[in-house]
Amino acid sequence: MVVVGMWLHRKDMRLAGKPVPLVIDLSRAQDRRILGYFTGGSVLFLMVTAIGSYYSYQFTESVEFCGKACHIVMEPEQVTYQHSPHARVSCVECHIGPGAEWFVKAKLSGLYQVYAYAFDKFPRPVPTPIKNLRPAQDTCEHCHWPEKFSGDIVRSYTHFLSDATNTEYSLRVMLKVGGANPRRGPVAGIHWHVSKDHKVEYLATDEKRLQIPWVRLTTKDGQVTEFRSPSFTNAVNPADVRVMDCIDCHNRPAHIYKKPNDAVDLALALGTIDRGLLSVRSNATYLLTQPYASVAEAMTAIASGMEERYPGDDRVKPAVAALQQIYRENFFPAMRATWREYPEHIGHKDWPGCVRCHDDNHPSADGQKNIGFKDCHTCHEILSQGAGPDLMNLTPGGQEFNHPLEPYDPEFKCHDCHTGGP
Ligand code: HEC
Ligand code: HEC
Ligand code: HEC
Ligand code: HEC
Ligand code: HEC
Ligand code: HEC
């Protein structure tokens, strides 16, 4: 502004026929005063800008900004994140990570997102996976040490059948998570995949990475084993190959869209939905999964649907409240986001998950090995299953899985029948 001002002034003077030489004479009081104002003003201006940019930097890195600035678009991610184990980790710690390079990348892609939001050009739902997600070494591994030895972890899975009496069928499963550092325990078990001593790579042939026909294992001594589904005969383009990391199993650490079956099972176990209501498991999952145009429509339909099925029963009111809350936290009609759009890669019951590779149909080139599923004991031991006393009786060595209603037919995979919904 100073330079422009000077230029305009000189131009005016020249037009008026009196050219002015540029003289700054600090012996003149006026010049000293002007210099004083200029220096003081500049310092103040720089300070305000610095503080301002610091706060705008802080703001654009905040959960508020990422999750709420463009309300509808990020609502599903924001809400599901708030109910995840990472609710206190900020979005940028997983999506940007430290360093200037990714900061700039994120701000550039942010510019496109502002445009897409302003002109309503965004996809509904937001597609998954994120193609240029920063590798887990630079994000997850800032907090999680990949070499940690986790050993065996026992988990309970609470389920109910969709029969008239809502029969419980729960499981206690000991997962052999193991570890990836030979000095802390055997490099074995589920976390074996991420050991630094070898590399597991794969090729997915679909957008959502649900079809994995080709896998390569490279050991520390350079030995390479290729596993390939017999029906996949294409050449492998090295650019499409992905090195397996945390995200290939833990792809929903923050945005957990509860499956309606699991959400209702939890409510039944907690008693927020009364187990005594006949067929309530099947009615509740049905009502949750109808195609509603808005949350408001779903709220009314869930309430009237339950009243209709259990007229005059005073156990309905709390059940309706529980179902409405499940809906609000896991279904987002405005963005068409539900568990169906967001596969979860851990496990193998409702989504292919581990079975994308572990399907007994990935023989190695020499035919000596196969990535297996049939041997259930590779990954876990079922300690107990069923309900009541059966569920209390633990078998440390593991039991064979006793599929409810009908024996499990190993010709099928679990996700051929189970989808997480009714
Ligand atoms: C603990 C790490 C973590 C945190 C914290 C986190 N995310 Fe994510 N986010 C992920 C992972 C992992 C994915 C799935 C990436 C993939 O499969 O490519 C993801 C996916 C997404 C997607 C794509 C849609 C989807 O669900 O796959 C969006 C959008 C997103 N996150 C936004 C956010 C916002 C907004 C926040 C903060 C409110 C946030 N994330 C916090 C890890 C995180
Ligand atoms: C800023 C630190 C931080 C980052 C980054 C982070 N996590 Fe975590 N994570 C935690 C903490 C803390 C916990 C334990 C939460 C608790 O138990 O309350 C946790 C828990 C977990 C758990 C156990 C969840 C459970 O059900 O108990 C998994 C799995 C996990 N993180 C995976 C990831 C993955 C994958 C990423 C990268 C996408 C990631 N984390 C990024 C801090 C982080
Ligand atoms: C092959 C799949 C797979 C990969 C790859 C994987 N995990 Fe896991 N991880 C699991 C399973 C399965 C569990 C058991 C808990 C569960 O089912 O949620 C688990 C448990 C965990 C836990 C909770 C247990 C504990 O000791 O606190 C953390 C944290 C975790 N993983 C972090 C990571 C990180 C970090 C990476 C990447 C370096 C990673 N995992 C890679 C499958 C995997
Ligand atoms: C490649 C490893 C692997 C193999 C092989 C495997 N499982 Fe699993 N299974 C898992 C993991 C991981 C989980 C935990 C998923 C989670 O935490 O959500 C699991 C969970 C389960 C559960 C509890 C699921 C639930 O939601 O209630 C059952 C039941 C089960 N497996 C049965 C079997 C049976 C039967 C076989 C053999 C035919 C088998 N599994 C083979 C990895 C495996
Ligand atoms: C991208 C393909 C891929 C996926 C996905 C995958 N695995 Fe594996 N897994 C492998 C390969 C390859 C081996 C080594 C097979 C061999 O050498 O015979 C293996 C071996 C294992 C082993 C034996 C490790 C040891 O001690 O030698 C376990 C346990 C295991 N996987 C569990 C899981 C679980 C649980 C999941 C899902 C959460 C999973 N895997 C998902 C490729 C995969
Ligand atoms: C041929 C189809 C089919 C296959 C394959 C199958 N299931 Fe099931 N499963 C069913 C049916 C039907 C029910 C009863 C559902 C109900 O009443 O809601 C059921 C119920 C269950 C339940 C208790 C209720 C629930 O919804 O969680 C569990 C746990 C279960 N199956 C686990 C598995 C596992 C693990 C596998 C793979 C090892 C598997 N199933 C394979 C059809 C199948």
Side-chain angles (χ1 to χ4, degrees):
M1 281 166 79
V2 170
V3 173
V4 173
M6 272 164 59
W7 179 73
L8 285 175
H9 179 66
R10 284 168 69 107
K11 202 169 116 191
D12 283 351
M13 289 308 199
R14 232 186 354 257
L15 285 178
K18 337 181 221 181
V20 268
L22 176 66
V23 182
I24 299 173
D25 182 353
L26 288 182
S27 65
R28 282 196 308 217
Q30 195 199 6
D31 284 22
R32 281 203 302 277
R33 209 165 43 237
I34 294 177
L35 184 71
Y37 286 143
F38 175 73
T39 322
S42 303
V43 169
L44 191 73
F45 175 74
L46 286 178
M47 263 169 62
V48 171
T49 329
I51 295 171
S53 10
Y54 175 73
Y55 278 106
S56 43
Y57 166 80
Q58 289 267 302
F59 177 62
T60 61
E61 296 284 283
S62 70
V63 172
E64 290 285 302
F65 177 77
C66 303
K68 292 197 180 146
C70 38
H71 183 71
I72 340 171
V73 190
M74 284 300 122
E75 194 196 4
E77 281 78 18
Q78 159 86 9
V79 172
T80 48
Y81 150 89
Q82 280 169 336
H83 301 111
S84 81
H86 292 96
R88 295 287 158 87
V89 173
S90 68
C91 317
V92 294
E93 281 182 274
C94 292
H95 286 288
I96 305 179
E101 185 197 339
W102 282 84
F103 175 76
V104 174
K105 272 194 200 172
K107 297 293 162 204
L108 289 180
S109 75
L111 286 180
Y112 173 74
Q113 285 158 16
V114 170
Y115 156 79
Y117 182 66
F119 295 95
D120 197 355
K121 297 252 186 261
F122 52 92
R124 298 177 173 82
V126 174
T128 195
I130 301 176
K131 286 212 186 65
N132 51 356
L133 189 76
R134 193 163 181 185
Q137 285 104 299
D138 302 334
T139 54
C140 318
E141 293 182 17
H142 273 254
C143 297
H144 296 284
W145 188 40
E147 299 188 355
K148 177 185 170 191
F149 186 75
S150 298
D152 297 330
I153 291 181
V154 176
R155 281 236 165 157
S156 297
Y157 300 87
T158 306
H159 297 296
F160 296 86
L161 299 183
S162 299
D163 55 5
T165 51
N166 316 302
T167 312
E168 181 178 355
Y169 201 94
S170 296
L171 293 123
R172 299 257 160 81
V173 181
M174 185 180 82
L175 295 161
K176 301 175 181 175
V177 180
N181 181 337
R183 277 174 292 132
R184 314 210 149 249
V187 177
I190 300 171
H191 277 171
W192 162 92
H193 302 78
V194 285
S195 159
K196 299 278 178 266
D197 287 350
H198 52 246
K199 190 163 69 172
V200 180
E201 294 162 297
Y202 71 85
L203 175 88
T205 49
D206 66 328
E207 284 289 307
K208 290 200 170 171
R209 299 186 187 141
L210 293 173
Q211 316 281 342
I212 301 185
W214 180 91
V215 182
R216 178 166 61 196
L217 167 66
T218 311
T219 55
K220 200 157 118 193
D221 51 20
Q223 207 184 331
V224 179
T225 317
E226 265 190 36
F227 302 88
R228 191 188 269 270
S229 298
S231 59
F232 180 75
T233 49
N234 302 15
V236 174
N237 178 359
D240 299 334
V241 172
R242 203 184 126 82
V243 179
M244 195 172 178
D245 70 20
C246 318
I247 305 294
D248 292 301
C249 299
H250 297 284
N251 68 326
R252 302 265 130 228
H255 315 294
I256 305 171
Y257 298 83
K258 276 216 184 104
K259 296 156 193 161
N261 285 358
D262 292 353
V264 169
D265 287 346
L266 179 63
L268 286 166
L270 296 174
T272 48
I273 298 179
D274 193 297
R275 223 185 274 189
L277 292 164
L278 284 185
S279 299
V280 71
R281 205 256 194 182
S282 110
N283 287 331
T285 50
Y286 173 83
L287 287 171
L288 280 174
T289 49
Q290 294 313 295
Y292 303 115
S294 67
V295 175
E297 187 190 319
M299 297 296 106
T300 332
I302 288 170
S304 59
M306 289 294 283
E307 292 291 352
E308 215 173 88
R309 285 166 175 79
Y310 307 98
D313 196 319
D314 53 6
R315 292 171 297 180
V316 166
K317 222 173 150 201
V320 166
L323 285 176
Q324 289 176 331
Q325 188 174 359
I326 293 175
Y327 191 89
R328 281 194 302 266
E329 289 175 1
N330 299 288
F331 293 79
F332 305 89
M335 282 302 291
R336 302 195 195 112
T338 68
W339 94 101
R340 280 198 197 94
E341 282 72 33
Y342 293 106
E344 185 190 51
H345 298 325
I346 220 153
H348 53 79
K349 182 163 167 258
D350 302 317
W351 287 102
C354 317
V355 169
R356 292 172 301 160
C357 300
H358 288 265
D359 63 351
D360 300 303
N361 193 29
H362 281 71
S364 59
D366 60 6
Q368 296 295 306
K369 284 176 158 191
N370 206 325
I371 316 180
F373 180 69
K374 283 203 179 84
D375 181 6
C376 314
H377 304 277
T378 319
C379 302
H380 51 58
E381 301 296 347
I382 295 178
L383 299 181
S384 72
Q385 53 193 321
D390 287 339
L391 196 59
M392 293 299 150
N393 246 331
L394 300 188
T395 314
Q399 311 175 352
E400 288 313 310
F401 179 46
N402 198 350
H403 189 271
L405 307 179
E406 279 176 29
Y408 164 62
D409 175 354
E411 284 316 305
F412 290 96
K413 297 288 181 277
C414 317
H415 67 96
D416 291 337
C417 303
H418 290 276
T419 61

